Amino acid sequence: MCGIVGYVGEEQAAPFLLNGLQKLEYRGYDSAGVAVYNGTGLHVVKSKGRLSVLDGILEGGRTLPGVVGIGHTRWATHGAPSDVNSHPQVSDGGKFAVVHNGIIENYLELKNHLLRRGVEFVSDTDTEVVAQMLEYYYRGDVLEAIGRVIQRVEGSYALGIICADCPEKVFAVRKDSPLIIGLGQGENFIASDIPAILSKTRDICRLRDKEIAVLEKDGVKFWGEDMEPLEKPVETVQWDVAAAEKGGYEHFMMKEICEQPEALRKTISPRIREGKIVLDDMKLTAEQIKQINKVFIVACGTSYHVGVVAKYAFEKLLKVPMEVDVASEFRYREPILDENTLVIIISQSGETADTLAALREAKKRGARVLSIVNVVGSTIANESDDVLYTWAGPEIAVASTKAYSTQLAVIYLVVLYMAQELGHTPAGEMAAYLEDLQRLPDLAAACLMDKETIQYFASKYFNARDMYFIGRNVDYAASLEASLKLKEISYIHSEAYTGGELKHGPISLLEDGTLVIAICTYGRLFDKMMSNVREVKARGAVVLGITTRDKEETLRQQTDYQFCIPKITDFMLPSLSIIPLQLFAYYVASMKGCDIDKPRNLAKSVTVE
Ligand code: AGP
């Protein structure tokens, strides 16, 4: 959600800024802009719409000379998408240009204060308040002005700042919104996410809340909230550049769907040794596991859907009460937690604002927090008692696919690890689960072999107005995710229901030719699902059934189209059944001509509430 880049060095800043912003396009945005110090003052160019519009105006950056600059892609929160509301925002006197991710919650109060003192505003944004405050508090020392501003603003921010009086510096500060500093040779960078700077450097420093960085071409200095100088550790990013490129695929989403077997292997293999699950990073002891009286899973969107699968696995194997909640609800209710409650936070980005707030709420109430995160060093990872990384590599497409698969894999590892430590599950049963978990990457690869069947099916239904997904138990959990995937990238209205709930209302939506996708992989309730399939067919629905290979013949007799997946332990079934449905969403969106990797109104990482 929004993207920040900044450059100071010897090369031209604008081409790098445009290139960096292009690498952040996946995060979602509706306007873009850059500010460069051009030898005489700050020169700002910004425009509503796609980055290509800005790139056209700047002729790839050639028309904006200068070696120090900041750039931004904006996803509107305060004020509509427009040229004037785009970032950078500039102070009244033209001294400061600011790019900002996050929300300044007390901006109105601050704005009124400045208006009363004669400061003139031009935009509707909360960000302009920061630019104006910087100039208002500036007495010749930018660092001091930043310090005074961050004492007064409330909310979340990652800020890139340049000042006309310091033409050789870029300033950066953050709170609750990610920002990294890239270290180069004779050049340094800021960015809200790693892909923006990966073509230049893999050496990065991460800013913690309210830490300030001052970048010059030959070095970066850091200050803490107390304005004392800081030493920051340097991390080396392990991904290669290719991991953040399309690598011959038309879209990141298809690339990431196809990467799932490999991603699963990386997540699972190192954590199973000599027939045992080994979670080196987990500090939770066997004694503490025995004391757990309740488990919560809290997350948003796709990560929440992982929690819905997890509930079935935890209850089956651990017999422990469990609740799954969306983070935006959990953070504002009064959950009953104590020191024996385990709260599992799931987040691909590790920066989702609601999920982070839920984590803090859980800790405040005394619970122990284990997080499952993809982005190493993210805020959620840093603030958790334990963190297990999914090791999926960068996920660029807004629609989450390999993050979902690898989050599920970590959930299976956690539940089996806890079962192993508790010692209640018979050895033979545990061995069978582990065997299936190790087969998962190959079975996922097998599900990807038959893309054509799904492509053909998509070609018949991509014009549908509505679609419904039904399932029971873990198949219901997979239905939720399949329905989200379809609606977010194809804009087709779709809902997921449990098979048993249909006759309590939703069945009235069906008419001749309505498409229903019935996930029927869960063996114990297969016959119940067949009854539901008959019910919807009797109302004129066309049904695509998804089941395991052993049930193929029965399914063929009951449904119009079929897709079969290999058989596996019940609670692992969603890892396989979701694959044809990710492909289905992809092909439908592609046939409709949708912007698959950057669907409208959505952002990859939702860092505001
Ligand atoms: C998934 O396709 C979505 N883009 C979205 O629901 C996402 O899963 C959600 O915003 C949570 O993100 P997180 O995992 O980074 O916290």
Side-chain angles (χ1 to χ4, degrees):
M1 184 169 262
C2 305
I4 288 179
V5 285
Y7 178 86
V8 49
E10 284 164 357
E11 293 179 11
Q12 291 299 302
F16 168 77
L17 297 175
L18 289 170
N19 188 273
L21 290 177
Q22 191 233 324
K23 297 283 188 289
L24 299 179
E25 274 192 295
Y26 72 93
R27 295 173 67 91
Y29 69 102
D30 43 51
S31 51
V34 294
V36 168
Y37 183 82
N38 69 355
T40 52
L42 304 181
H43 195 98
V44 178
V45 183
K46 49 193 193 174
S47 98
K48 182 183 160 189
R50 287 286 172 203
L51 192 58
S52 51
V53 178
L54 183 70
D55 193 79
I57 298 170
L58 294 175
E59 296 176 17
R62 286 184 297 282
T63 59
L64 192 58
V67 294
V68 175
I70 49 178
H72 193 256
T73 42
R74 172 177 187 251
W75 190 86
T77 57
H78 292 63
S82 69
D83 290 358
V84 75
N85 286 336
S86 309
H87 302 195
Q89 289 291 321
V90 180
S91 58
D92 204 7
K95 259 198 200 324
F96 287 91
V98 172
V99 289
H100 167 219
N101 288 356
I103 290 182
I104 305 299
E105 285 165 3
N106 59 340
Y107 86 103
L108 263 182
E109 180 195 317
L110 298 168
K111 184 171 180 172
N112 287 333
H113 175 83
L114 293 173
L115 283 169
R116 283 195 296 273
R117 277 150 187 83
V119 177
E120 284 183 27
F121 282 77
V122 294
S123 81
D124 304 319
T125 65
D126 51 339
T127 305
E128 189 181 359
V129 170
V130 176
Q132 304 287 20
M133 284 175 79
L134 282 167
E135 182 146 346
Y136 182 76
Y137 287 116
Y138 179 61
R139 302 282 178 274
D141 181 346
V142 179
L143 196 61
E144 193 213 347
I146 293 174
R148 295 184 70 176
V149 171
I150 63 175
Q151 274 170 27
R152 284 162 179 80
V153 295
E154 288 164 17
S156 59
Y157 49 84
L159 296 167
I161 301 162
I162 54 175
C163 172
D165 288 352
C166 302
E168 71 296 347
K169 289 180 182 164
V170 171
F171 300 84
V173 61
R174 58 146 272 179
K175 180 181 162 278
D176 294 342
S177 188
L179 195 64
I180 54 162
I181 310 299
L183 308 172
Q185 298 293 326
E187 53 185 1
N188 291 301
F189 319 90
I190 63 169
S192 51
D193 205 356
I194 293 168
I197 57 167
L198 215 46
S199 63
K200 289 282 197 177
T201 182
R202 284 155 180 258
D203 292 336
I204 63 161
C205 294
R206 291 177 196 276
L207 289 184
R208 288 188 171 257
D209 278 358
K210 296 194 177 178
E211 287 178 353
I212 304 171
V214 182
L215 292 81
E216 294 186 71
K217 75 180 168 62
D218 294 321
V220 183
K221 291 191 178 125
F222 297 95
W223 277 265
E225 189 186 351
D226 53 6
M227 292 313 222
E228 290 297 318
L230 280 178
E231 290 295 321
K232 298 284 297 175
V234 178
E235 268 175 54
T236 303
V237 176
Q238 297 300 334
W239 323 334
D240 57 11
V241 181
E245 304 284 349
K246 282 189 200 150
Y249 288 89
E250 204 178 335
H251 299 100
F252 280 111
M253 183 179 176
M254 182 53 97
K255 176 176 179 251
E256 288 159 8
I257 290 174
C258 294
E259 281 173 351
Q260 289 177 110
E262 202 38 44
L264 283 167
R265 217 177 302 283
K266 285 188 187 148
T267 309
I268 297 167
S269 305
R271 288 160 165 155
I272 302 182
R273 288 181 225 147
E274 294 166 9
K276 292 206 115 194
I277 305 222
V278 183
L279 299 180
D280 287 330
D281 329 336
M282 182 95 119
K283 297 189 286 289
L284 198 66
T285 63
E287 219 25 66
Q288 285 168 321
I289 292 172
K290 287 187 186 125
Q291 300 299 320
I292 293 172
N293 56 16
K294 186 156 188 185
V295 180
F296 281 83
I297 294 202
V298 186
C300 299
T302 288
S303 301
Y304 164 75
H305 295 157
V306 172
V308 183
V309 179
K311 183 172 164 69
Y312 296 105
F314 270 77
E315 289 181 348
K316 180 182 165 86
L317 258 79
L318 303 178
K319 316 281 181 229
V320 61
M322 170 139 197
E323 277 190 52
V324 187
D325 206 351
V326 286
S328 53
E329 286 298 310
F330 179 91
R331 65 182 288 191
Y332 291 121
R333 67 188 177 96
E334 307 262 318
I336 298 158
L337 316 171
D338 62 29
E339 69 282 6
N340 292 324
T341 310
L342 176 66
V343 175
I344 302 180
I345 296 282
I346 308 179
S347 175
Q348 185 283 131
S349 61
E351 301 291 351
T352 302
D354 281 321
T355 312
L356 178 59
L359 179 159
R360 289 175 177 165
E361 185 63 31
K363 289 196 79 170
K364 201 166 84 193
R365 290 170 179 265
R368 186 176 180 94
V369 174
L370 160 68
S371 66
I372 298 174
V373 172
N374 191 35
V375 178
V376 175
S378 52
T379 311
I380 288 177
N382 284 339
E383 295 195 16
S384 302
D385 299 306
D386 284 294
V387 52
L388 292 171
Y389 286 111
T390 44
W391 298 332
E395 188 180 68
I396 307 289
V398 164
S400 193
T401 52
K402 65 175 178 173
Y404 175 76
S405 298
T406 52
Q407 287 167 346
L408 279 178
V410 174
I411 281 291
Y412 307 150
L413 285 160
V414 170
V415 78
L416 291 172
Y417 174 77
M418 287 170 72
Q420 169 186 292
E421 297 304 299
L422 290 173
H424 300 155
T425 314
E429 205 181 310
M430 278 299 285
Y433 291 141
L434 287 198
E435 197 186 320
D436 272 4
L437 189 50
Q438 284 170 299
R439 288 166 62 222
L440 198 53
D442 287 339
L443 299 184
C447 293
L448 282 164
M449 297 300 282
D450 189 13
K451 293 194 193 72
E452 290 70 25
T453 300
I454 296 296
Q455 197 169 12
Y456 168 72
F457 183 66
S459 73
K460 295 188 80 84
Y461 289 97
F462 74 95
N463 274 325
R465 195 192 53 192
D466 311 284
M467 293 187 196
Y468 298 95
F469 291 80
I470 57 173
R472 287 168 178 256
N473 196 279
V474 289
D475 288 335
Y476 168 61
S479 300
L480 290 170
E481 174 58 10
S483 172
L484 175 68
K485 230 48 336 148
L486 181 75
K487 71 179 84 143
E488 71 179 328
I489 61 167
S490 75
Y491 317 140
I492 291 177
H493 167 248
S494 104
E495 303 291 343
Y497 294 108
T498 61
E501 193 60 15
L502 278 178
K503 59 174 85 64
H504 298 287
I507 203 161
S508 67
L509 295 166
L510 300 181
E511 47 194 49
D512 256 359
T514 306
L515 183 62
V516 172
I517 298 183
I519 311 183
C520 320
T521 67
Y522 183 62
R524 193 159 73 85
L525 297 176
F526 180 79
D527 292 341
K528 302 271 178 211
M529 277 305 294
M530 287 305 101
S531 304
N532 295 136
V533 164
R534 281 192 291 276
E535 283 162 12
V536 300
K537 280 206 66 67
R539 271 84 187 171
V542 176
V543 179
L544 165 68
I546 300 204
T547 193
T548 47
R549 287 198 185 119
D550 54 318
K551 298 282 196 322
E552 185 170 6
E553 207 31 59
T554 319
L555 195 75
R556 194 174 297 285
Q557 290 159 18
Q558 307 278 351
T559 57
D560 303 281
Y561 303 90
Q562 305 77 34
F563 189 93
C564 288
I565 62 166
K567 213 167 154 39
I568 194 166
T569 293
D570 283 350
F571 60 78
M572 298 180 198
L573 284 163
S575 296
L576 302 181
S577 61
I578 198 62
I579 292 175
L581 298 172
Q582 292 169 339
L583 289 168
F584 177 65
Y586 175 88
Y587 286 126
V588 166
S590 159
M591 287 163 195
K592 287 188 71 183
C594 299
D595 191 352
I596 293 182
D597 285 338
K598 301 185 285 285
R600 69 184 180 206
N601 304 338
L602 293 179
K604 181 65 183 163
S605 170
V606 184
T607 50
V608 294
E609 188 177 357

